Amino acid sequence: MNSIAVILQLAGAVALLLFGLGLVRDGMLEAFGLRLKMILGFGTRSQPRAFGSGLLATLGLQSSTATALLTASFVDRQMIGGRMAQIVLLGANVGTALTAVLVSIQIEAVAPALMLLGYVLRKRGNVLAAGIGGALIGVGLMLVSLALLEHATLPMRDSPLLAAFLPMLDNAWPVALLMAAGIAVVCSSSLAAVLLIASIPLPPELTMVLVLGANLGGAVSPVLASAGLGAVARRVAVGNLLVRGIGCLVALPLVATLAPLLAGLPTHLTGLAVEGHLAFNLALAALIWPLNGAIGAVVERILPDDPPVTTARRNWLDDTVLDAPLLALSGASREVLAIGDKVERMLSQTRTAFARDDTSPLAEVAEIEDQIDTRQQEVKNYLSRLTGDASEDDRRRAIDILDYVINLEHIGDIIDKGLGPEVRKKIGLGLRFSDEGYQELERLFLVTQEALRMAQTVFMTRDHDMARRLMELKIEIRKLERQSAQRHLIRLREGQTESRETSSLHLDILRDLKRINAHAVSVAHPILDEQGLLVESRLRAAPRAAHKE
């Protein structure tokens, strides 16, 4: 019974730790999700910046797995190069090790204060405050879980079963390594596995072997989670697993030498497991960084490019269900979602042409635009033929679908007839933006892609919270556009040659991206209007004139 009680206490403490990690991740995404994505999306122009962006994103998300999946999705959308993504993940691995250090420092006493502050912020209703509040509650729960882990492992220190088991495990390091890897896979977190290892009294060598296993297992979860992505994106997770595997193979024979050295350090704020975790990832980053190109080549051999797939277009507009409005509207919605995916592809290819100074992706943009014009006309004709049996809700939904597809067609026109010629002009004339100007436009391209993806989700789910976030994103985009225009004018006044040569082009691209965002965000209007959250005019009420005697 005592053994069962200890196991239950350990399981409960680990569950609380994972729950706290999830709260921190969700809270940071809610509060700073766009900024974290921007850090990853445009923070990869050089290897040091890519490393730093991975580290910062992981410190925010408290999960290298989450960073790996975000990075893989960006690679899948051609927003980050595959080999640069490996540098991002080296930073992410160091970031999760630093997170372990931060949460392992003995500061359990502040946990109640963090949770109280988090609760107060959650009640404020503001998205930013609510996200930060959720993250603070998560950190507080993580600190509490560490105290529970320490308490749960106290009986194990004098356990005869553990005393008999440890020598067996200490003599079978490969088994110990695989066992720790399995724990990390089950927890979907190398951080949780390392903190669990740190709470158990173990010999130094065995501790380090288990830490290596936790690192290996932490790289397995992104491989499993990215299985549905294309080969280019899967290479990111597989490359990270290969890197950690190489690190474990190199480090395992050295454990007997290195573990006593680490254990003998004069300062121990967090324990050998946490400090060994940090030392391993720092050493791994230093070892692999110069070999990144060779690692990338190996991964490309392991996962060659996907063969081109030519599939016939699926037409969701079924004339046989026009007398069943619910089925007809469902088909129209799926057709419009497919059109939205095409529009996002247009923007992605335009951004690729802009970033690479290559006009070839723009040929596909023109082809897609022709397809969108045809398909949106088919949707309009289809909706006009709905039977008179449609209810008021059905007619309202049909209008919403029609509005969204018209906005998508406008976005396609802006990309094809606005952004496309502007990018061609940049490439054809060999124009170069200033570093600051280029980063500002890259940032706005990234935010615009995110707005399109959110618009698709809002259209599909009609989720009120997501619609509200989309409207808040519009405000963020307006600020970015205004700030970029102001900074561009400052650079002009300072006489920067590059800014002067690209002045009209910079402002035209800003204008078109702003227009695209306005059309994308419009999908949220009817949803928020149903909740009474929109006003007819943005004009403030005029102050009343003072009464004259």
Side-chain angles (χ1 to χ4, degrees):
M1 290 300 294
N2 288 336
S3 299
I4 294 175
V6 170
I7 291 172
L8 288 176
Q9 288 177 355
L10 274 174
V14 172
L16 184 62
L17 174 62
L18 294 174
F19 182 69
L21 276 171
L23 282 180
V24 175
R25 182 177 61 251
D26 294 343
M28 294 300 289
L29 281 174
E30 184 178 358
F32 305 108
L34 177 61
R35 291 178 178 85
L36 290 171
K37 290 178 181 179
M38 285 166 59
I39 287 173
L40 286 175
F42 69 88
T44 56
R45 295 186 65 192
S46 66
Q47 291 190 358
R49 290 181 61 180
F51 183 87
S53 67
L55 191 152
L56 288 175
T58 304
L59 285 175
L61 294 172
Q62 302 283 289
S63 170
S64 58
T65 298
T67 303
L69 292 177
L70 270 177
T71 305
S73 70
F74 283 172
V75 171
D76 196 43
R77 292 151 59 187
Q78 300 180 355
M79 296 171 70
I80 299 178
R83 297 193 181 182
M84 194 66 79
Q86 292 299 333
I87 301 294
V88 172
L89 294 194
L90 290 178
N93 295 339
V94 174
T96 195
L98 286 174
T99 299
V101 172
L102 292 175
V103 299
S104 299
I105 298 173
Q106 301 299 316
I107 52 173
E108 292 90 347
V110 305
L114 290 177
M115 289 188 282
L116 176 60
L117 178 58
Y119 177 79
V120 171
L121 290 174
R122 292 288 292 180
K123 289 298 182 181
R124 293 190 61 181
N126 178 276
V127 173
L128 178 63
I132 294 174
L136 289 176
I137 293 173
V139 173
L141 291 177
M142 289 172 65
L143 295 176
V144 171
S145 72
L146 293 180
L148 291 176
L149 276 173
E150 185 176 358
H151 177 74
T153 56
L154 283 176
M156 300 173 63
R157 301 175 191 271
D158 300 320
S159 169
L161 291 176
L162 185 64
F165 178 68
L166 285 182
M168 296 171 54
L169 199 60
D170 202 17
N171 292 324
W173 285 1
V175 175
L177 185 140
L178 293 176
M179 185 180 74
I183 293 173
V185 171
V186 170
C187 294
S188 294
S189 171
S190 60
L191 174 60
V194 168
L195 294 177
L196 175 61
I197 294 165
S199 68
I200 303 173
L202 299 169
E205 292 84 356
L206 182 57
T207 296
M208 283 303 303
V209 171
L210 293 175
V211 167
L212 294 177
N215 277 274
L216 182 63
V220 173
S221 297
V223 173
L224 300 176
S226 62
L229 298 177
V232 176
R234 295 201 309 275
R235 287 175 192 153
V236 177
V238 171
N240 187 45
L241 178 59
L242 179 62
V243 165
R244 290 204 188 183
I246 292 172
C248 289
L249 287 175
V250 172
L252 194 60
L254 304 175
V255 163
T257 303
L258 296 178
L261 291 176
L262 286 172
L265 290 176
T267 57
H268 276 296
L269 294 176
T270 57
L272 177 59
V274 174
E275 292 167 8
H277 182 40
L278 177 59
F280 172 74
N281 282 287
L282 286 173
L284 189 62
L287 173 68
I288 295 297
W289 196 325
L291 304 175
N292 183 53
I295 296 291
V298 171
V299 176
E300 287 173 8
R301 285 181 173 273
I302 296 173
L303 281 176
D305 291 334
D306 292 323
V309 179
T310 55
T311 56
R313 171 195 157 192
R314 174 73 182 270
N315 190 347
W316 297 101
L317 306 178
D318 186 356
D319 290 345
T320 63
V321 298
L322 281 171
D323 57 347
L326 185 61
L327 294 176
L329 291 173
S330 176
S333 297
R334 297 183 77 171
E335 181 72 10
V336 172
L337 281 173
I339 294 173
D341 290 339
K342 289 286 187 180
V343 170
E344 186 188 345
R345 175 67 178 174
M346 289 178 69
L347 184 61
S348 175
Q349 289 296 86
T350 304
R351 180 182 179 272
T352 299
F354 175 79
R356 298 179 182 175
D357 282 337
D358 179 10
T359 58
S360 57
L362 296 178
E364 183 182 355
V365 170
E367 293 176 4
I368 296 175
E369 167 61 10
D370 292 337
Q371 297 171 17
I372 288 174
D373 286 342
T374 301
R375 294 177 74 167
Q376 67 94 20
Q377 189 62 45
E378 291 174 354
V379 171
K380 289 193 288 188
N381 292 337
Y382 185 77
L383 292 175
S384 69
R385 291 185 287 127
L386 276 177
T387 65
D389 297 333
S391 66
E392 184 63 29
D393 288 342
D394 291 335
R395 284 192 287 271
R396 191 180 301 113
R397 178 58 178 160
I399 291 172
D400 292 346
I401 295 172
L402 189 60
D403 286 343
Y404 185 50
V405 77
I406 290 172
N407 277 294
L408 288 175
E409 194 269 336
H410 287 328
I411 293 173
D413 284 341
I414 294 169
I415 296 172
D416 183 46
K417 299 177 175 61
L419 285 177
E422 288 154 11
V423 172
R424 283 192 176 92
K425 179 180 178 182
K426 168 185 180 285
I427 299 169
L429 297 178
L431 299 176
R432 286 184 57 84
F433 292 90
S434 66
D435 289 342
E436 297 85 356
Y438 181 84
Q439 289 178 23
E440 290 162 9
L441 292 175
E442 272 280 274
R443 184 181 296 114
L444 205 56
F445 262 113
L446 177 63
V447 177
T448 303
Q449 286 186 265
E450 186 65 22
L452 277 176
R453 292 172 68 87
M454 287 181 66
Q456 289 281 89
T457 303
V458 169
F459 175 75
M460 179 173 58
T461 65
R462 299 185 67 79
D463 181 80
H464 299 107
D465 290 336
M466 183 67 76
R468 190 182 188 106
R469 290 184 193 176
L470 186 57
M471 289 294 292
E472 290 168 348
L473 179 59
K474 180 181 179 180
I475 298 171
E476 183 76 19
I477 290 166
R478 190 184 304 136
K479 290 179 182 177
L480 288 174
E481 184 268 339
R482 185 167 56 246
Q483 289 170 0
S484 180
Q486 291 171 350
R487 290 168 182 164
H488 177 70
L489 293 175
I490 291 172
R491 290 192 292 270
L492 285 178
R493 285 198 296 267
E494 292 174 348
Q496 291 192 22
T497 303
E498 292 172 329
S499 296
R500 185 174 61 251
E501 292 175 348
T502 60
S503 180
S504 62
L505 193 58
H506 185 106
L507 296 176
D508 286 345
I509 293 176
L510 284 179
R511 177 204 62 204
D512 286 338
L513 290 173
K514 182 181 177 182
R515 289 169 59 204
I516 290 171
N517 280 290
H519 284 297
V521 170
S522 65
V523 71
H525 292 172
I527 298 170
L528 296 176
D529 193 38
E530 292 174 359
Q531 302 295 307
L533 298 176
L534 292 182
V535 294
E536 291 294 329
S537 173
R538 290 171 56 190
L539 291 173
R540 292 180 179 176
R544 294 182 179 179
H547 178 70
K548 295 183 178 180
E549 294 292 342

